[in-house]
């Protein structure tokens, strides 16, 4: 008998899909410092700083120290420190509507988080109350590969116990979605809960 489902596992990004940050304070501090909005984020995720952190090669403390030093080249040290603190301490929330949809999907197939994250991910998930939410968690900091590297998708499919072609992948970044499609996954660019519900409709009924 043919499998009526189009996929047998859901692989889902964390940030920008489930977890969202409030950077209001950070933006205000950037304006006060005469910096463009998003400057701090760009410094944190510049290849020479963000990449080692997301691959687990440096600690979060080392990452923030490097970002503070880089920002201090653009603004006085005390302002750089305040910007880094606002970034690190930015309030975060989990989207309950998205979580509800994923929990409904979990009644039918495994749900695996696939995230480019630092070594603090376990603590971050616990703080959000999501320590035991996913069936598996694939973190770039622990695997040593980050999206859109094909290997992290392969690891996620292996953890789910299904072939790549039987996975639905959900992410808010187009390059990550395209990489999943190249491996034969059904891949959806996340734009909000309604789109996710449509993608999950074959499971949810």
């Amino acid at each position: 008998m043919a499998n009526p489902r189009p996929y047998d596992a859901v692989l889902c990004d964390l940030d920008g899909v489930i977890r969202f940050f409030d950077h209001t304070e950070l933006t205000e501090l950037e304006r006060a410092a005469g910096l463009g909005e998003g400057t701090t984020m760009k410094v944190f995720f510049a290849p020479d700083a963000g990449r080692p952190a997301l691959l687990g090669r440096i600690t979060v403390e080392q990452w923030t120290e490097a970002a503070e030093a880089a920002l201090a080249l653009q603004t006085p040290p005390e302002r750089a420190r305040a910007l880094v603190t606002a970034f690190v301490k930015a309030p975060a929330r989990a989207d309950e509507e998205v979580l509800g949809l994923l929990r409904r999907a979990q009644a039918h197939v495994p749900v695996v988080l696939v995230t480019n994250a630092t070594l603090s991910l376990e603590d971050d998930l616990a703080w959000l109350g999501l320590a035991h939410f996913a069936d598996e968690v694939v973190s770039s900091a622990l695997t040593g590969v980050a999206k859109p590297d094909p290997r992290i998708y392969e690891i996620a499919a292996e953890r789910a116990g299904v072939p790549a072609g039987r996975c639905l992948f959900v992410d808010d970044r187009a390059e990550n979605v395209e990489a999943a499609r190249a491996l034969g996954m059904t891949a959806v660019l996340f734009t909000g809960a309604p789109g996710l519900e449509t993608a999950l409709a074959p499971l949810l009924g």
Side-chain angles (χ1 to χ4, degrees):
M1 182 176 175
N3 187 339
R5 294 194 302 246
Y7 41 78
D8 295 313
V10 176
L11 314 183
C12 188
D13 183 30
L14 176 63
D15 291 325
V17 178
I18 296 172
R19 179 173 64 174
F20 294 87
F21 291 93
D22 180 356
H23 288 299
T24 303
E25 181 185 358
L26 177 60
T27 300
E28 291 173 353
L29 287 172
E30 288 176 334
R31 287 174 183 157
L35 300 174
E37 184 176 338
T39 296
T40 306
M41 193 87 69
K42 288 175 184 173
V43 167
F44 264 96
F45 291 102
D48 58 343
R51 192 90 183 152
L54 296 178
L55 294 178
R57 295 172 184 165
I58 60 174
T59 64
V60 174
E61 290 75 16
Q62 290 170 318
W63 186 34
T64 56
E65 287 169 5
E68 185 175 327
L71 283 165
L73 299 175
Q74 304 181 53
T75 192
E78 62 274 12
R79 283 188 182 271
R81 191 170 302 112
L83 290 166
V84 166
T85 300
F87 175 81
V88 172
K89 302 292 187 184
R93 67 173 179 85
D95 188 307
E96 292 300 329
E97 187 175 3
V98 169
L99 284 174
L101 291 169
L102 292 172
R103 287 190 173 107
R104 287 171 62 193
Q106 266 181 311
H108 307 280
V109 300
V111 171
V112 179
L113 289 184
V114 189
T115 177
N116 288 353
T118 68
L119 292 169
S120 69
L121 178 63
E122 188 175 347
D123 291 339
D124 293 346
L125 290 175
W127 187 87
L128 285 169
L130 300 178
H132 306 293
F133 160 67
D135 295 283
E136 294 282 348
V137 177
V138 179
S139 164
S140 63
L142 296 182
T143 60
V145 286
K147 295 177 293 185
D149 188 312
R151 183 60 190 142
I152 196 168
Y153 301 88
E154 293 166 352
I155 291 170
E158 290 164 9
R159 298 269 185 92
V162 303
R166 297 295 300 167
C167 294
L168 170 69
F169 176 79
V170 181
D171 199 289
D172 67 320
R173 297 183 69 88
E175 63 267 32
N176 296 339
V177 170
E178 289 162 8
R181 284 187 184 136
L183 288 175
M185 294 181 176
T186 300
V188 173
L189 181 66
F190 180 83
T191 56
L196 177 62
E197 186 170 17
T198 298
L200 294 175
L203 292 181
L204 306 182

